Amino acid sequence: MSSSEKKYTILPFGPQHPVLPEPIQLTLKCDEEKVVDVNVNFGYVHRGIERAGELNDYKRNVYLVSRVCGICNFMHSLCYCMAIEKLMDLRIPERANYLRVFWAELNRVESHLLWLGLFADAMGFESLFMQFWREREFIMDLQEKTGGNRIITGTNNIIGGVNRDINGELVDDVERTLTKLRGRVKALEPVITKDPTFKKRTVGKGYLPRDLAVKLGAVGPTARGSGIRTDVRMEGYAAYGELEFEPVVEKDGDSYARVLVRFYETLQSIDIMLRMINTLRKMENGPIFVKPKEWPDGETISRVEQPRGELFYYVKANGTPYLERLKIKTPTLSNLPPLLAMLPGSELADVPVIVLSIDPCIACAERYVKIGKGGE
Amino acid sequence: MPFMLPIIIKNLLSKPFTVKYPFEKREPLPKHKGQIEFDMSKCDLCQDCERLCPSVAIKVYPNAKVIEYDPFKCIYCHLCVQICMQIAIKGYTVYTPPSYVKEVKIFKQE
Amino acid sequence: MTGKKFSYEEVKKASMIAKARELYHSNARFMTLVCNDRGDHFELIYYFERESDILEIRTKVRKGEVAQSVTPIYSCAFLAENEVKDGFGLNFMDLAADAGGVLLRTSETETLLKPATGVRPPLFWTPARCYLECPARTNVPRYLREIAEGKFEQAYETILEVNPLPAVLGRICLAPCETACRRAKNGEPISIRALKRFVADRVGLKPRKVHRNPLTGKKVAIIGAGPAGVTAAYYLGLLGHSVVVFDKLPKPGGMLFVGIPKYRLPKDILFAEIEARFKEAGVEFRPNNWIGDLDELFAQGFDAIFVATGAHEGAKLRVEGEEHPRVIDVLDLLREVNLYDRKPELGERVLVIGGGNSAMDAARVSLRLGAKEVWIYYRRTRNEMPASPSEVEAAEAEGIKFNFLAAPNRIMDGGKGKVKVGFIKTKLGKPDAAGRARPEPILGSEFIVEADTVIKAIGQVVTVPDGFKLERDDKGRIKVDPETLQTSRPGIFAGGDVVLGPSSAIESIATGRKAASSIDLFLGGGGLPEPKLELEFIWRPSPDDVINMKRINSPELPVERRVSTFDEVEQPYSVEDAVREASRCWKCDWYE
């Protein structure tokens, strides 16, 4: 009497994997190359930032919060500063708003170029990976010239505005670099849209239908790749209200759609930056920050569009220089349930591509959630 | 593959993008935030830089007239350079070189 | 910022599931869940995003109870709820499977998000140096800020918290605050003293409306109307006691009246200010009254006595021939000029012996009384002179000449109304107990100088009538308890120069206020509050704004006009200059 029990293989994907930028463990239950079920276990990069945010006073927290994620550091400090400014009822000068949009889009371009490179590398297309990362060098040079450091620019956002200004010759220099960069990135477009190998590995893999995306709370390019038109930039924080912003949306819902969304977003961001530089050049020099008048008091939330989705901050203060509670919700945490829904039914060799297609930045999602052994 | 052909030919014919490190060094661009140094002849031990440092890398002892600075805790944000009223802290564009031991730099005032 | 508006709702714990089902059917997206620890209960805040707004739902869960999870409906909430469960130890009922369909069990370990331990980075606050150096602890940064904002009345009130004579001290104070100012390192401290004088002149010397405590019925006698006495009288009067001030001179002021020349402090300003303070505090002034016996005062009905008679006798040179009629003490000279308004004849050549501020005063007064040549002799060098540098420079500007490293050792009669003084050259030797170099005479280097008048200005000694029956120390000063300023006899307090020895006006004012507080406690009151800097939200100015602003000195009379009259030498600031000078301050008491 042979047992009719089916035997499954349990494969750990991660925490160290050549494809993953940050450690996360997915336990895949496979039935001979097809994934049947998945369990997630993460928390390898927990640093206790929420608790450290209560020890520091509200001004030092700007530097602490920048270091939640290295690539999207400007968005974190922007969101935090916006929350505190809402508590204090400060009105930011116009020039500061334009500068904030400029640096935010710079971070977005850098992050998308980094992701496109990693995605190509995950498929084995190393030369495309090198090309994308070469374009990224221009962006990092721009960040160094305008901000002060290549990746984490620091001191750019302070409560009440920004710390540095872009004027004089630097404006022309930035514009030249950006125009050159746009040409180079656009030259890589045929590889993504027409190359058959690229398409064969991404079309149809990791399918997320539209209603499931809504139910599971997907955000960012993961949701936009499935046809949902959602973007926090449409709300009009900082200077986005003047831009009449339209997000890039694709309908297919598979990994290829997400790649296209991110690629076209890169080009769109470079266009936004060029518009901002033009506006900055025409404006005359003005103040770039205002001084607060009192300590923050009350509780509020603020949201910002990160390259990966919607970033959410909850800040509670009580009139002293110390905050009572700081809560950060990063988009990767919202995108994990859709990932767990995408994986069952796919081939084992497609798992790296699918995992990377939601752009996991586990350093951001640094809450520790211990989920024990599930399964039978 | 054929779609990358123009790029491949352009790469073949231009000079390499990598900087061969020990033979050529890359100069940091102006306004890069590098290491800092304290000028003790101008310092008057007011402890403002200690109050402001986000990573608690500066310790000032006004009685002993000594400043202790830890370059490994420092996050190179140059806030202390901006706040010092006696202009006693100077920020360079060269970053701190790596070293074998984690030591704390001590600046004394005579 | 524009954007979706927010709506708030409070929902009971049991109806959370029904609410979630309703939101699910209207296609709301689950955003996240925040948990706050409120002491005896947890507050859970759910955030959902709808088409038109962002909905915030709050529920309360008492500690020890179980919360209701929304995962049966919104399965993507399992991550956030597991995090709250692990972080705060709050259990959820129905915490359901993950989206893959496999039953999920969370581990039973203890909470990981413990309360924040670790070292809080320093947010300490150091009081400003000018405040710490002032003996009376005047709130200097605050009144400089108020002047820079144009609020002159408020600045006046700030000064009057610890010092009732700003118009006087704005002219004569030695200003230890200016030496301690952090800008002094580059040589340009803020002119704190001149700004104080500006405020006092601007607000005026009339009595103002001040709240005075209801009368307590106690009577206090104050002996001596100098700075210490006037201060104690003012504060005790405002606390509700009836104060009587006795003084042996016909007008109040003490050393401020008879010890400071008129070109530094015009006497009408002094009297007007003291009278204004006496009127505000309801103080009675009885001049021309020399008190020799304190028991008499107790017999007259006074409950406490404050002795502030000061130090009015000049020190002796201890050389032979000192009693010559042409050798006078600077205090006697100034008394003649200030009190009796006489102009004594000093002759053409005057020698002044001494190196302090009173020596400078003596020399400048002699010039104004008609002397043609004035020499100052000091037994150490210029660097050790105790006079303030600005006084020395002013004396030099008027044409007074200096001779250093010479000490007198004999005084002889020169006939025809002249006097001869024998000097001996000195050199600097080892430091003495106070740290200053001791002058040692060089043998065989005597020389003789002839003059019409010799003025000695080497300091004062404290003299107290024996009838007071108070214990004194070896220098003749009254011994007091350092905290309460009470003497060896209960009910009798002492302060000012008579306790400290010859010192500055601001130190006497500080003891006067301290004595007023402790006399009030002795009489059953509550005492005065200690002066302190409060923690206010003050923004540090950025260095670029203030570093390049140079100091504006107060305008002065031209030198030719100075010497012939006793008019006041220093003139007040204009309003723009004062505001600009006050905004140079670095706000060392910043706290943001």
Side-chain angles (χ1 to χ4, degrees):
Chain A
M1 206 59 108
S2 67
S3 78
S4 54
E5 241 182 47
K6 228 173 163 186
K7 288 221 164 104
Y8 294 106
T9 327
I10 301 201
L11 271 178
F13 181 83
Q16 323 296 40
H17 196 277
V19 151
L20 282 176
E22 273 126 0
I24 179 175
Q25 179 171 54
L26 297 169
T27 323
L28 307 166
K29 195 157 110 175
C30 307
D31 171 28
E32 286 182 29
E33 291 268 331
K34 254 198 163 28
V35 175
V36 169
D37 178 36
V38 71
N39 254 333
V40 71
N41 187 3
F42 67 97
Y44 292 93
V45 240
H46 185 260
R47 287 161 289 165
I49 290 195
E50 284 186 9
R51 280 302 179 189
E54 289 171 26
L55 279 182
N56 282 334
D57 58 300
Y58 76 103
K59 280 176 66 198
R60 281 202 175 98
N61 267 337
V62 176
Y63 301 97
L64 176 70
V65 153
S66 287
R67 278 143 179 88
V68 171
C69 175
I71 311 169
C72 38
N73 57 84
F74 191 80
M75 318 277 196
H76 278 278
S77 62
L78 174 65
C79 199
Y80 177 76
C81 286
M82 271 168 38
I84 300 266
E85 283 155 10
K86 222 155 85 161
L87 282 181
M88 290 184 189
D89 284 328
L90 281 180
R91 285 212 49 186
I92 318 291
E94 267 193 30
R95 203 176 164 92
N97 271 334
Y98 292 130
L99 283 168
R100 277 181 171 177
V101 169
F102 175 76
W103 275 311
E105 295 302 316
L106 198 60
N107 260 352
R108 190 185 312 273
V109 169
E110 194 211 336
S111 171
H112 282 325
L113 283 178
L114 183 134
W115 179 82
L116 282 166
L118 282 184
F119 191 77
D121 189 42
M123 294 191 319
F125 199 161
E126 263 199 46
S127 45
L128 190 60
F129 162 61
M130 305 261 189
Q131 284 299 129
F132 275 120
W133 277 46
R134 180 163 76 167
E135 319 309 338
R136 207 173 141 243
E137 288 289 317
F138 293 111
I139 299 282
M140 293 210 279
D141 276 349
L142 259 189
Q143 276 196 320
E144 186 175 358
K145 271 189 225 158
T146 55
N149 258 322
R150 278 157 59 98
I151 299 193
I152 295 192
T153 50
T155 73
N156 264 351
N157 259 323
I158 53 173
I159 308 221
V162 292
N163 216 348
R164 290 179 179 234
D165 203 352
I166 305 181
N167 38 18
E169 294 186 347
L170 202 50
V171 176
D172 300 324
D173 200 2
V174 167
E175 200 176 13
R176 254 179 289 141
T177 318
L178 283 178
T179 328
K180 190 167 77 168
L181 182 70
R182 191 179 201 284
R184 293 174 78 112
V185 171
K186 190 99 173 126
L188 289 171
E189 192 187 354
V191 181
I192 294 186
T193 50
K194 299 199 192 125
D195 194 76
T197 327
F198 196 99
K199 282 171 108 162
K200 213 160 182 184
R201 283 215 66 177
T202 51
V203 173
K205 315 279 195 258
Y207 180 62
L208 187 66
R210 188 176 195 270
D211 47 347
L212 200 59
V214 172
K215 268 193 339 195
L216 293 178
V219 287
T222 318
R224 275 178 257 152
S226 299
I228 310 175
R229 182 174 172 267
T230 160
D231 193 325
V232 186
R233 282 177 284 176
M234 295 195 295
E235 300 214 347
Y237 62 89
Y240 285 107
E242 299 180 9
L243 288 176
E244 289 159 10
F245 184 76
E246 272 293 323
V248 176
V249 173
E250 298 275 334
K251 280 201 293 295
D252 293 330
D254 54 6
S255 307
Y256 185 61
R258 284 175 231 139
V259 173
L260 283 182
V261 163
R262 288 195 176 97
F263 186 80
Y264 288 124
E265 263 186 19
T266 315
L267 293 175
Q268 185 189 42
S269 294
I270 299 184
D271 287 333
I272 294 180
M273 277 202 281
L274 283 169
R275 262 179 81 173
M276 285 289 123
I277 285 285
N278 263 334
T279 326
L280 276 176
R281 179 191 275 147
K282 290 195 202 110
M283 263 181 78
E284 63 229 8
N285 279 342
I288 47 176
F289 64 93
V290 289
K291 297 187 178 161
K293 301 259 177 344
E294 56 191 0
W295 288 309
D297 196 356
E299 59 185 65
T300 183
I301 71 170
S302 71
R303 308 193 295 159
V304 153
E305 175 80 8
Q306 231 199 22
R308 292 155 187 71
E310 165 207 53
L311 178 65
F312 175 94
Y313 263 67
Y314 168 84
V315 168
K316 181 158 191 277
N318 55 3
T320 63
Y322 297 100
L323 292 180
E324 249 187 57
R325 177 94 170 96
L326 172 68
K327 160 126 180 108
I328 310 174
K329 193 241 8 154
T330 46
T332 313
L333 203 63
S334 291
N335 277 336
L336 266 185
L339 172 68
L340 301 179
M342 276 192 247
L343 278 177
S346 56
E347 303 275 330
L348 190 57
D350 289 330
V351 168
V353 168
I354 298 178
V355 167
L356 261 191
S357 73
I358 61 159
D359 206 349
C361 177
I362 312 293
C364 287
E366 44 100 67
R367 260 128 301 280
Y368 190 102
V369 176
K370 192 158 176 187
I371 302 184
K373 287 193 244 190
E376 317 149 45
Chain B
M1 173 63 191
F3 301 97
M4 279 196 67
L5 212 49
I7 302 180
I8 296 178
I9 296 185
K10 194 162 73 160
N11 284 347
L12 260 182
L13 300 175
S14 54
K15 73 179 183 63
F17 198 64
T18 31
V19 170
K20 297 189 172 52
Y21 174 59
F23 309 109
E24 330 165 352
K25 294 201 190 184
R26 176 185 179 270
E27 289 300 322
L29 299 172
K31 281 210 231 171
H32 180 85
K33 293 188 272 209
Q35 57 181 352
I36 63 174
E37 211 172 73
F38 289 82
D39 181 357
M40 291 313 280
S41 64
K42 294 193 192 158
C43 173
D44 65 349
L45 297 161
C46 68
Q47 296 183 297
D48 278 347
C49 48
E50 184 180 359
R51 270 192 260 179
L52 209 70
C53 180
S55 57
V56 198
I58 302 182
K59 284 206 183 51
V60 178
Y61 298 101
N63 303 330
K65 298 203 180 183
V66 157
I67 292 191
E68 278 183 9
Y69 162 67
D70 190 346
F72 290 98
K73 268 199 190 160
C74 178
I75 61 175
Y76 300 99
C77 60
H78 281 207
L79 270 185
C80 48
V81 176
Q82 288 173 7
I83 197 87
C84 180
M85 304 295 274
Q86 305 278 9
I87 318 187
I89 308 185
K90 186 160 162 24
Y92 294 93
T93 52
V94 181
Y95 49 80
T96 311
S99 88
Y100 286 109
V101 266
K102 260 194 186 175
E103 58 182 3
V104 168
K105 285 198 190 158
I106 299 189
F107 295 90
K108 277 208 194 13
Q109 188 181 57
E110 69 287 332
Chain C
M1 106 182 171
T2 59
K4 297 196 170 168
K5 42 189 202 349
F6 290 84
S7 350
Y8 302 94
E9 275 188 34
E10 286 250 357
V11 155
K12 288 239 183 320
K13 188 176 66 148
S15 42
M16 193 62 222
I17 280 271
K19 186 83 195 164
R21 194 169 292 134
E22 177 194 321
L23 285 167
Y24 185 78
H25 286 304
S26 61
N27 271 338
R29 176 175 74 88
F30 173 78
M31 285 167 63
T32 187
L33 159 65
V34 177
C35 179
N36 275 335
D37 188 343
R38 297 275 198 178
D40 61 340
H41 63 270
F42 287 115
E43 186 188 23
L44 295 175
I45 313 180
Y46 285 87
Y47 286 94
F48 289 91
E49 181 186 6
R50 289 196 288 213
E51 279 289 326
S52 55
D53 60 354
I54 295 181
L55 183 61
E56 198 180 291
I57 301 183
R58 290 175 191 250
T59 52
K60 288 199 190 26
V61 176
R62 218 158 299 162
K63 285 195 181 173
E65 282 184 4
V66 174
Q68 172 70 340
S69 154
V70 294
T71 41
I73 303 176
Y74 275 104
S75 51
C76 55
F78 76 102
L79 277 174
E81 294 193 340
N82 271 306
E83 174 198 357
V84 166
K85 175 181 195 305
D86 261 329
F88 291 89
L90 175 66
N91 279 319
F92 282 90
M93 192 164 53
D94 287 344
L95 186 55
D98 65 332
V102 177
L103 193 61
L104 192 58
R105 245 179 324 148
T106 64
S107 69
E108 313 291 331
T109 54
E110 76 250 20
T111 75
L112 287 146
L113 283 179
K114 300 190 189 66
T117 57
V119 177
R120 194 160 245 189
L123 195 67
F124 61 85
W125 167 84
T126 44
R129 290 182 188 182
C130 43
Y131 164 84
L132 288 176
E133 283 292 318
C134 178
R137 295 279 202 269
T138 320
N139 197 341
V140 176
R142 178 151 33 114
Y143 88 74
L144 285 182
R145 239 193 334 273
E146 284 163 349
I147 294 179
E149 291 167 10
K151 303 183 192 158
F152 303 127
E153 321 268 325
Q154 274 179 328
Y156 194 63
E157 294 295 323
T158 306
I159 304 175
L160 264 123
E161 281 173 18
V162 281
N163 169 10
L165 304 170
V168 173
L169 287 187
R171 289 161 163 84
I172 59 150
C173 190
L174 301 173
C177 49
E178 290 192 13
T179 349
C181 179
R182 277 186 64 203
R183 293 201 78 147
K185 206 164 161 103
N186 302 336
E188 299 191 11
I190 316 273
S191 326
I192 303 174
R193 175 179 57 81
L195 284 171
K196 184 187 274 184
R197 177 236 169 109
F198 165 78
V199 165
D201 282 351
R202 180 129 178 126
V203 173
L205 296 167
K206 297 198 210 14
R208 54 196 221 291
K209 284 206 178 4
V210 181
H211 166 74
R212 193 182 168 198
N213 279 0
L215 295 176
T216 58
K218 307 273 187 183
K219 290 167 69 166
V220 181
I222 298 188
I223 306 179
V230 168
T231 311
Y234 176 67
Y235 287 113
L236 281 171
L238 283 189
L239 283 169
H241 305 293
S242 330
V243 181
V244 178
V245 177
F246 298 93
D247 194 283
K248 74 177 182 199
L249 296 172
K251 290 274 194 181
M255 202 61 163
L256 300 172
F257 175 34
V258 290
I260 297 190
K262 285 194 245 189
Y263 58 84
R264 280 179 76 192
L265 175 60
K267 300 302 164 197
D268 45 352
I269 295 188
L270 170 69
F271 299 144
E273 185 155 45
I274 296 187
E275 218 179 277
R277 296 286 101 80
F278 282 173
K279 238 202 191 84
E280 287 165 12
V283 171
E284 188 192 332
F285 178 54
R286 292 192 200 159
N288 294 319
N289 246 315
W290 186 80
I291 307 285
D293 190 354
L294 296 177
D295 299 307
E296 253 181 52
L297 289 175
F298 277 126
Q300 283 178 24
F302 288 104
D303 299 295
I305 302 181
F306 181 59
V307 175
T309 48
H312 280 263
E313 205 173 294
K316 301 238 176 291
L317 276 174
R318 283 191 293 253
V319 297
E320 169 202 329
E322 204 172 338
E323 297 80 23
H324 193 284
R326 296 305 296 173
V327 174
I328 54 178
D329 192 278
V330 62
L331 291 175
D332 297 326
L333 171 66
L334 289 173
R335 202 173 298 144
E336 296 257 321
V337 177
N338 289 332
L339 183 56
Y340 302 115
D341 261 337
R342 291 189 208 133
K343 282 188 184 291
E345 253 313 305
L346 294 177
E348 296 209 343
R349 198 150 192 255
V350 174
L351 297 184
V352 177
I353 302 178
N357 275 329
S358 37
M360 305 299 133
D361 287 341
R364 291 168 82 182
V365 166
S366 321
L367 269 186
R368 284 158 173 78
L369 289 176
K372 300 280 185 306
E373 229 186 285
V374 179
W375 285 83
I376 296 185
Y377 280 81
Y378 181 53
R379 55 184 182 158
R380 294 188 178 96
T381 66
R382 194 187 186 122
N383 295 339
E384 282 96 24
M385 276 179 102
S388 14
S390 53
E391 290 281 312
V392 176
E393 280 165 21
E396 270 185 335
E398 294 185 3
I400 296 168
K401 303 193 242 323
F402 289 81
N403 199 324
F404 295 108
L405 289 172
N409 66 349
R410 253 176 335 138
I411 300 186
M412 301 151 303
D413 188 43
K416 294 186 259 156
K418 291 202 194 291
V419 59
K420 285 202 193 126
V421 185
F423 285 98
I424 187 167
K425 288 211 171 77
T426 62
K427 62 176 189 318
L428 294 179
K430 296 198 219 13
D432 62 359
R436 290 165 59 184
R438 203 191 305 256
E440 287 163 16
I442 305 176
L443 298 165
S445 64
E446 285 114 354
F447 59 98
I448 299 192
V449 183
E450 199 181 74
D452 289 308
T453 313
V454 172
I455 307 183
K456 52 181 170 96
I458 50 177
Q460 298 102 340
V461 278
V462 175
T463 51
V464 178
D466 287 322
F468 286 5
K469 300 201 210 55
L470 295 172
E471 210 181 303
R472 296 194 269 159
D473 67 359
D474 50 356
K475 290 211 177 106
R477 309 179 286 203
I478 300 185
K479 258 198 195 166
V480 290
D481 175 87
E483 278 306 311
T484 58
L485 294 182
Q486 185 161 213
T487 60
S488 47
R489 290 176 64 179
I492 304 186
F493 297 78
D497 276 357
V498 80
V499 166
L500 303 168
S503 68
S504 58
I506 188 69
E507 288 181 36
S508 309
I509 289 184
T511 58
R513 188 177 188 274
K514 197 165 165 191
S517 182
S518 86
I519 294 180
D520 189 52
L521 284 171
F522 174 78
L523 294 176
L528 287 170
E530 290 273 329
K532 65 179 184 349
L533 285 184
E534 291 128 17
L535 293 180
E536 306 165 33
F537 187 95
I538 299 162
W539 196 271
R540 214 320 142 59
S542 77
D544 303 320
D545 293 339
V546 280
I547 284 236
N548 289 326
M549 288 167 83
K550 299 258 172 245
R551 171 179 164 132
I552 307 172
N553 285 321
S554 5
E556 291 179 343
L557 277 187
V559 185
E560 310 79 43
R561 267 197 61 193
R562 278 185 227 174
V563 190
S564 47
T565 61
F566 273 94
D567 286 345
E568 199 179 353
V569 172
E570 195 185 2
Q571 302 294 308
Y573 278 126
S574 62
V575 175
E576 298 87 28
D577 278 349
V579 168
R580 189 170 185 278
E581 181 69 16
S583 47
R584 280 176 72 224
C585 176
W586 283 353
K587 300 194 180 72
C588 298
D589 63 334
W590 63 285
Y591 187 66
E592 332 157 342

